[in-house]
Amino acid sequence: MTRRKDEAAPPATTTIAGGRLPVPALIATLTALVGLIDVITAISHRPTGWTWLGRLIPGMVTQAATGTSVGAGLLLIGLAHGLRRRKQRAWRAALALSGAAVLLDLARGLAVVPAAIDLVPFAVLIATRRRFPAAGDPRTRWRALGALAALAAADLTVGLALIHFRHGSGGLGAHVEHVLAGLAGITGPVRFGRDGDGDLVGAVLLALGALTVGVPGYLALRPATPVAALTAADGTRLRALLTRHGGRDSLGYVALRRDRSVLWSPSGKAAISYRVVGGVALAAGDPIGDPEAWPGAIRPFLDLAAAHAWVPAVLGCGPDGGRAYQRVGLRVLELGDEAVVRTAAFSLDGRAMRGVRQAVARVERAGYTARIDRVADLDPAERAALADRASAWRSCGTERGFSMALGRVGAPEDPDSVVVRAFEDGRLRGLLTFLPWGSDGLSLDAMRRDRTAGNGLTEFLVVALLREAHRLGVTRVSLNFAAFRATLARGERLGATPALRLTRRLLLTASRWFQIESIYRFNAKFDPDWQPRYGCYPTTRDLPRVMLAALRAEALLTRPSLPQPSLPGRRPQPPRTPSGLGSEQPGPAYIASEGGLPGTRASAGNAPAEQPPVTSERVALPTRTGRRREGLHPADGGHFGEGPRSREIQQADDRSSRDSTPHSPHRAARPRRRRAAPDRSPFST
């Protein structure tokens, strides 16, 4: 990927507020239209009967020129997208093809009118060459598959039209068979009444077959541009900025993802972490560093996007970052709110916290304990085991998250990250990881759990961390991002307008497939402060493209992959515990016991045995897709439904919690012998 750091940025060719200049779009439309005309005239025109001079051209030449003209027309249509984005490589290719099309028109029987039409884009492209300065995008071999599919569809369409214009015999099945055979240079079953038509159809189909093989082959074999990666030098400089200014944004630490590039301001006091997806340069969160130096990083970011014809966009920035991007011409859209809990004010007392209090009590009575550690306090074997267990609990094969997830768990380069683990009878049953947010804050990153663990485990782990916040020196904890929270909250209030009620109803309907209401309800349990998060984009017409790129970056839309073959007769084996970790003693770690007494030192005698923990990713955007399944983390594609059956189970658990006799914190808790209800938390994996 092309990267920009401290060098001076070239001047932008367009302004963000005013949008792109219309000239490249018009030229792209003209080029595509001329390419379509070339295809139609080549398959419908009979060049040898035009003039006596045209009849002097050998039939072999006219047939080859006709087939090549069809291929050139298809390529001109395909280059229109690159011309619209002002790509210099697309301009060069279109100029060469339009010039070649003029010669091909003359070679297939002095077709003067088509040649004159092809001269129009050729002349226009020469006159407007300065309108196409954009450098190329990062190359990927996936484009070969897309080109193959597009050319295959075009081959079938053009072949059937060609047979129709030449009055071929037989039905549709015979025509399709003839086209498929002709692409490989084989004569098909269709017969033509006029001499030379069969040879012409064969020449055109053979040229199309060569084009269908050649273009995807070139795209597949050309070297791909390396994926964006965070260099060691960039990482060191970013950590220095986060040490001084990391407390401004809870998402600042996510800039250390390994799949992002970094653009620095000339002074080095500010930086923007971004990634290019589908022609969209996506930044996430506020710029990092001194706010006074943010414009020095934002302007080069926009210039870089203009130089490559990328669409600049931002996901999840705060109010300060939104105002900074708005001042340079980007539009700002509220995406939702981030839930921030102030640890000093948090308490389980009161009617408003009854749901959380009952969930925590239920888990404590079942014998669960919590352990809280910094990653720096874990030995390498524990970190490796933690990564393995989190990967095993992930319900999908793709790690999700871009704007709000670090993409790794327990890595030694993140020593200040916090891991909260839940144990039952010495077995690891769930974990949460938190990223540092300045010197006194934590930001929720990854959530993993055993699907067979008890209901309320996520609430139990969150409360365990909040109880131990004073020991960790933490005064604020950022939980999940709740999309469209303000709309959901205002839409259910007394006196809400019909438009708000309708919008809320639509969001509730979408919550059947996306994690919208469930995440909002879960975060609201902890009575947090809501801090808005925004998205930034250039123009309204760019918004669908930005949304698609965001879904791809968050891995909510992924490319299909072939399933891994399994050997017959072999059953999938559960992940094995690394040697020596089956009954590990935690040592002097703080344990939140079933009695709810935080801050107690755990001795070797009562410490829970630990099984391999795991690495996991952070919850990215709450709008996660996936089929409705029990016990799935929203970051892994799960769906949390709050249907009648879910409420019945939850009410039954609440009644049993109220009717049971509370356990004393000074005696061991005896797990109740009953069937465990499925976890209805939206964060279960």
Side-chain angles (χ1 to χ4, degrees), residues 482-665:
F484 310 110
R485 182 209 66 86
T487 302
L488 290 172
R490 291 196 298 263
E492 64 183 353
R493 292 176 184 171
L494 182 64
T497 63
L500 269 177
R501 290 198 299 269
L502 177 60
T503 305
R504 179 177 179 272
R505 185 172 301 176
L506 293 176
L507 291 175
L508 294 180
T509 301
S511 295
R512 298 178 181 178
W513 300 277
F514 299 93
Q515 307 301 312
I516 299 177
E517 186 192 21
S518 57
I519 290 183
Y520 162 54
R521 298 297 181 193
F522 180 86
N523 290 340
K525 292 180 180 180
F526 298 92
D527 191 23
D529 296 334
W530 297 105
Q531 298 183 1
R533 289 281 174 178
Y534 304 92
C536 305
Y537 58 97
T539 62
T540 303
R541 66 174 175 266
D542 293 319
L543 189 56
R545 188 175 173 188
V546 170
M547 293 174 61
L548 181 61
L551 292 176
R552 289 180 55 190
E554 300 290 352
L556 295 175
L557 291 179
T558 58
R559 295 186 176 99
S561 59
L562 296 177
Q564 295 293 335
S566 58
L567 296 178
R570 294 285 299 274
R571 293 182 178 179
Q573 299 295 328
R576 288 181 291 181
T577 304
S579 175
L581 294 177
S583 58
E584 177 194 0
Q585 300 297 333
Y590 281 88
I591 300 294
S593 67
E594 60 271 16
L597 299 178
T600 306
R601 285 275 183 179
S603 63
N606 60 8
E610 176 186 354
Q611 289 208 345
V614 191
T615 317
S616 137
E617 317 279 0
R618 162 173 192 155
V619 178
L621 287 178
T623 52
R624 308 287 177 182
T625 60
R627 294 190 178 274
R628 184 167 181 168
R629 297 168 60 189
E630 297 291 346
L632 292 187
H633 191 294
D636 293 330
H639 176 75
F640 171 72
E642 296 185 351
R645 178 61 180 163
S646 172
R647 288 192 290 269
E648 290 175 6
I649 295 176
Q650 183 66 45
Q651 291 170 1
D653 290 339
D654 293 343
R655 286 195 299 270
S656 63
S657 175
R658 290 194 300 268
D659 297 340
S660 59
T661 304
H663 286 272
S664 168

Side-chain angles (χ1 to χ4, degrees), residues 249-251 316-318 333-338 481 531-534:
D249 187 10
S250 63
L251 302 182
C317 64
L333 175 68
E334 185 174 353
L335 299 178
D337 295 89
E338 177 186 16
F481 167 79
Q531 298 183 1
R533 289 281 174 178
Y534 304 92

Side-chain angles (χ1 to χ4, degrees), residues 293-313:
W294 286 0
I298 294 176
R299 177 52 62 182
F301 174 67
L302 299 182
D303 291 341
L304 175 65
H308 291 80
W310 294 334
V311 177

Side-chain angles (χ1 to χ4, degrees), residues 424-448:
E424 181 188 20
D425 297 330
R427 291 191 305 135
L428 182 64
R429 305 303 302 275
L431 62 94
L432 304 180
T433 62
F434 292 83
L435 303 178
W437 176 13
S439 59
D440 62 345
L442 293 175
S443 179
L444 181 60
D445 176 53
M447 292 175 286
R448 295 289 187 270

Side-chain angles (χ1 to χ4, degrees), residues 123-150:
V124 171
L125 287 171
I126 291 179
T128 59
R129 60 186 180 276
R130 297 185 183 276
R131 300 286 190 181
F132 301 91
D137 288 343
R139 296 191 295 267
T140 170
R141 292 186 173 90
W142 280 99
R143 291 187 179 180
L145 185 59
L148 179 61

